[in-house]
Amino acid sequence: MNAYKKVMKQIHASDEFKSKMQKEMMEYDQKKKRDYMKNIRIIVGSLVACAVIAVVALTNVNNDAALDLTERIVVDNSGPAASAMLNIEGLITEVGEDGLSFTLDNGMEVVVTDETKLGIDGPTAAPKEEQLFEPTFRVGNLVGGFTEDTSANPVSAAVIYTNWNFENPIR
């Protein structure tokens, strides 16, 4: 009788294992189907998005009319100027022993005097510590400024707006 119970327990365990495995396989198949449908939804959604973008692009291609903004432009002559005149500009190729004279890559020789204004000033100017201005003139710096007489040799700078080395800044 003992052997009979043992065999019956094994058969029962085997049926239990079989039903458990069938249940897990069904769940796996359902998950696989859900993943497949999710991928199909993503692909279809991507195709729809591409189609919408293509339609919008094609409708805008034929609209070559230029916008006329002259009616929107408002000029306030009392406002501060937004640009400065430059006639000294280029890269420094040579610096004099005094450190205040230099030669630019276009051949212009420039002298900075005590009267030369350094940096940008005015109501809309950035603070001095944020401007692109190094404390010394050195080879490789990009310089932008203004002089009253461009025909003089060397020119005396009235203003130096920019003195900056973008590849190797001091600050």
Side-chain angles (χ1 to χ4, degrees):
M1 183 80 171
N2 219 358
Y4 175 75
K5 284 184 179 179
K6 226 185 219 183
V7 169
M8 287 307 287
K9 281 184 183 179
Q10 286 177 347
I11 291 173
H12 181 65
S14 143
D15 285 340
E16 198 174 295
F17 178 75
K18 186 177 176 183
S19 67
K20 193 183 275 187
M21 287 306 292
Q22 283 177 339
K23 183 179 175 185
E24 286 182 18
M25 287 301 289
M26 287 179 62
E27 288 175 4
Y28 177 76
D29 287 341
Q30 287 175 349
K31 183 179 182 230
K32 200 171 171 183
K33 286 179 186 176
R34 276 183 276 174
D35 289 344
Y36 178 73
M37 290 305 293
K38 185 178 178 183
N39 289 340
I40 294 294
R41 278 190 229 122
I42 290 172
I43 291 170
V44 169
S46 299
L47 289 174
V48 169
C50 289
V52 168
I53 290 171
V55 167
V56 169
L58 290 175
T59 56
N60 288 337
V61 167
N62 297 331
N63 189 5
D64 291 338
L67 291 175
D68 185 19
L69 300 176
T70 54
E71 296 173 7
R72 297 184 196 176
I73 297 173
V74 177
V75 178
D76 182 10
N77 292 328
S78 65
S83 64
M85 184 168 171
L86 286 178
N87 55 14
I88 299 173
E89 73 182 313
L91 287 171
I92 297 177
T93 57
E94 185 180 333
V95 178
E97 289 182 22
D98 61 356
L100 296 175
S101 61
F102 50 87
T103 305
L104 298 177
D105 58 348
N106 60 7
M108 181 183 279
E109 294 179 18
V110 180
V111 175
V112 177
T113 63
D114 291 336
E115 289 84 35
T116 303
K117 294 180 183 175
L118 300 175
I120 301 170
D121 58 355
T124 59
K128 294 287 185 189
E129 60 272 1
E130 293 179 16
Q131 294 182 21
L132 299 177
F133 204 90
E134 292 186 359
T136 60
F137 296 100
R138 58 189 178 120
V139 174
N141 280 17
L142 179 66
V143 174
F146 176 74
T147 183
E148 297 289 334
D149 184 13
T150 57
S151 63
N153 191 15
V155 297
S156 179
V159 181
I160 299 291
Y161 300 112
T162 305
N163 174 34
W164 192 254
N165 190 324
F166 287 93
E167 294 177 9
N168 187 17
I170 289 178
R171 284 193 282 163

